[in-house]
Amino acid sequence: MPIYEYKCQKCGNNFEYLAIGGKGPRNCPKCESEQIKKMLSSCGFFTKGSGGETIKSAASAASACSSCSAASCSTCGH
Ligand SMILES: [Zn+2]
């Protein structure tokens, strides 16, 4: 099952969400803000490898890596 990473735009909390039935989280589990952003970057999957598989996203350039300051995940080295 796919696990997606989200980041709260309000409190900056990073959290993972296990996508079931294609549904995403409605709000941040920490501050309950609805201003959350789905991390399209594949950096999180590369660094964690929790699922044992590598998930690549074609939209990696559209989102900055959450764990580094690089603008594109293709160059961040994570
Ligand atoms: Zn939050």
Side-chain angles (χ1 to χ4, degrees):
M1 287 180 280
I3 299 177
Y4 297 109
E5 187 172 354
Y6 289 81
K7 182 175 184 178
C8 176
Q9 302 295 288
K10 185 176 181 180
C11 71
N13 178 39
N14 284 299
F15 61 97
E16 293 178 341
Y17 186 87
L18 181 61
I20 301 176
K23 294 183 179 179
R26 289 184 178 181
N27 50 33
C28 172
K30 187 175 181 180
C31 70
E32 298 186 350
S33 169
E34 294 183 357
Q35 297 178 38
I36 56 174
K37 183 179 180 181
K38 182 179 179 182
M39 306 302 289
L40 297 176
S41 160
S42 57
C43 290
F45 295 103
F46 281 129
T47 54
K48 292 172 186 174
S50 57
E53 61 181 4
T54 301
I55 302 175
K56 293 183 179 180
S57 173
S60 61
S63 177
C65 179
S66 60
S67 58
C68 70
S69 58
S72 173
C73 290
S74 61
T75 59
C76 72
H78 285 281

